[in-house]
Amino acid sequence: MKKIVVIGGGTGLPVLLRGLKQYNVDLTAIVTVADDGGSSGRLRDELDMPPPGDIRNVLAALSDVEPLIVELFQHRFENGNGLSGHSLGNLILAAMTSITGDFVHAVREMGKVLNVRGKVLPAANESVVLHAEMEDGTIVSGESKIPYSGKKIKRVFLTPANIEPLEETIMELRSADLIVIGPGSLYTSILPNLLVPKIGEEVCQSKAKKVYICNVMTQAGETLNYTASDHVKALYDHMACAFLDAIIVNDAPILPETKERYAKEWAAPVVCDTEKLEALGLQVICDAIIDERDGTVRHDTKKVAALLVSLLAPPSHGTYS
C-alpha cells in the first residue's frame, strides 16, 4: 500500500482524515502537542502530560467503531465541579497515560480500543510550549494566547529547544510516498510539528511528494490578509528550505452571507495567487474543495482526499475531478 503521512492539528486535520481513511492506503497522522487551552491545557498543567485534545480528535476521526462509542469518546461535560469543560476522551487518555506511564503508549492502546485505521503519533512524547515573536519584538507564550495578541506574527518557536520526536515518526516520514501538510492554523497547528527539529529536517530531506492543503479562510491574529503564497512563504521562512511540491487551494465562491459572518471575525477567503505560487515552483491545484453549511466553511473531505490519492498515481493525461 502507498503510505500517506499527514502533519497538522486543530479542527482541519480530523476533517481530512475522515476522507482519507476510506481509501486503501497506509495512513499516519503526526499531531501537534503544543495546545495549552481548555481541557487539554488543564490536564497538561495538572498531570504533567502532553495535551490530549488534538490527538483525541484524530483518534475519533480514524476510528472504525459504532458511532455511539465515538460520540461517547468526544462527549464534553457541561457541568460538574472539576468535570465541566473536560471531554471524556481527554480523561480516558489521561487515565491511560497514568496506567501505562507513557503518553505515546496510551495513544497506541487507545487506537486499538477504537479500532483506528492507521497510526496516530504525537509530534513529541512531551509537552512543548509555543512562543511567537511579534513584529514589534514582543514575545507571546502559549498556543492559545498567540492569536489574541492583536499583533502581527514575525516567527514562532518552541521550548524546550532540544525536543526529540519519536523514532517511529522519523521512520514513517522516511518511508512515506506522500507527505501532506495541513489543513490547520498555520502558526499554531502546523508549524509546531515542523519546528520539532528532526521532523522538520526529515520533511525537507524526504523524497516523497509533499503537498500543502491551504486553509480556506484567513485567520485573525495569525494570517490576516494572507494569500496562498503568503502561507507558503511563512512555512519556508521557518523551515529554511523550499520543501513543497504542490499546493491545494479552494477557488469555489463562498456565499455572501457566509463571508459576511466571517468578516465579523476579521476572516476572509484565501486568494489563490497562482502566478506567485508557480513562481515558487509549486504544482498549483485550485479547485472547488469546500463544504459550506450553516454559515461555516470547511474542506470537503471527500474531494480533498480524492485529490490527494490522485497525486499518488503516476502522471496521466486525465484531469482532476
Side-chain angles (χ1 to χ4, degrees):
M1 282 194 293
K2 295 284 189 179
K3 182 185 285 293
I4 301 179
V5 177
V6 188
I7 301 173
T11 56
L13 184 59
V15 170
L16 171 64
L17 292 171
R18 275 192 284 274
L20 280 176
K21 77 173 182 181
Q22 307 302 327
Y23 289 87
N24 188 28
V25 293
D26 182 345
L27 197 54
T28 298
I30 299 172
V31 188
T32 178
V33 285
D35 188 10
D36 64 352
S39 168
S40 281
R42 286 160 62 191
L43 291 170
R44 168 185 174 139
D45 292 342
E46 291 169 20
L47 302 178
D48 190 25
M49 64 176 282
D54 283 350
I55 292 275
R56 182 196 85 243
N57 285 327
V58 168
L59 286 168
L62 288 175
S63 66
D64 190 13
V65 290
E66 290 294 327
L68 183 61
I69 302 294
V70 178
E71 193 178 336
L72 188 66
F73 189 64
Q74 292 287 60
H75 176 74
R76 193 174 296 276
F77 294 95
E78 292 180 1
N79 45 42
N81 188 18
L83 267 181
S84 181
H86 279 305
S87 81
L88 183 59
N90 285 358
L91 296 175
I92 291 172
L93 282 166
M96 196 78 89
T97 302
S98 179
I99 290 165
T100 63
D102 179 75
F103 182 64
V104 172
H105 193 175
V107 173
R108 201 172 283 134
E109 292 303 312
M110 204 63 238
K112 291 177 189 173
V113 171
L114 291 171
N115 196 23
V116 161
R117 291 193 190 182
K119 298 184 189 76
V120 180
L121 301 171
N125 200 12
E126 59 182 304
S127 293
V128 299
V129 180
L130 183 68
H131 310 269
E133 180 188 346
M134 301 300 173
E135 288 206 327
D136 65 359
T138 57
I139 303 289
V140 177
S141 297
E143 181 261 4
S144 60
K145 298 180 185 70
I146 290 168
Y148 300 101
S149 68
K151 298 175 181 179
K152 189 169 168 57
I153 298 168
K154 182 181 177 185
R155 69 179 183 110
V156 290
F157 60 97
L158 300 175
T159 56
N162 60 341
I163 308 149
E164 283 288 326
L166 308 175
E167 190 60 37
E168 191 178 353
T169 301
I170 300 304
M171 298 313 292
E172 292 296 321
L173 286 167
R174 285 180 182 172
S175 58
D177 296 294
L178 181 69
I179 295 174
V180 181
I181 313 293
S185 299
L186 178 63
Y187 290 104
T188 54
S189 290
I190 293 171
L191 278 165
N193 293 293
L194 297 173
L195 291 173
V196 174
K198 289 178 185 171
I199 291 181
E201 289 163 21
E202 289 295 335
V203 170
C204 279
Q205 292 166 12
S206 171
K207 298 289 189 287
K209 187 156 195 172
K210 286 158 277 193
V211 58
Y212 174 54
I213 301 175
C214 193
N215 288 345
V216 177
M217 307 296 287
T218 61
Q219 193 173 350
E222 289 205 36
T223 55
L224 188 67
N225 299 325
Y226 274 36
T227 63
S229 68
D230 291 329
H231 284 75
V232 174
K233 284 173 189 165
L235 289 169
Y236 286 3
D237 287 347
H238 281 79
M239 299 282 280
C241 76
F243 62 95
L244 293 169
D245 299 300
I247 183 169
I248 297 175
V249 194
N250 175 60
D251 68 356
I254 291 165
L255 292 172
E257 55 268 32
T258 303
K259 279 203 277 193
E260 199 174 301
R261 196 180 78 77
Y262 274 93
K264 291 174 185 171
E265 301 169 9
W266 297 91
V270 173
V271 174
C272 183
D273 48 347
T274 305
E275 285 185 14
K276 288 185 178 177
L277 291 166
E278 288 177 344
L280 290 167
L282 295 174
Q283 174 189 355
V284 183
I285 304 166
C286 282
D287 207 338
I289 54 164
I290 55 167
D291 181 4
E292 189 175 351
R293 293 182 215 176
D294 305 322
T296 302
V297 183
R298 293 265 185 270
H299 285 93
D300 184 316
T301 182
K302 289 182 180 175
K303 281 193 175 179
V304 177
L307 281 173
L308 290 172
V309 171
S310 75
L311 292 175
L312 286 168
S316 70
H317 300 294
T319 56
Y320 292 108
S321 57

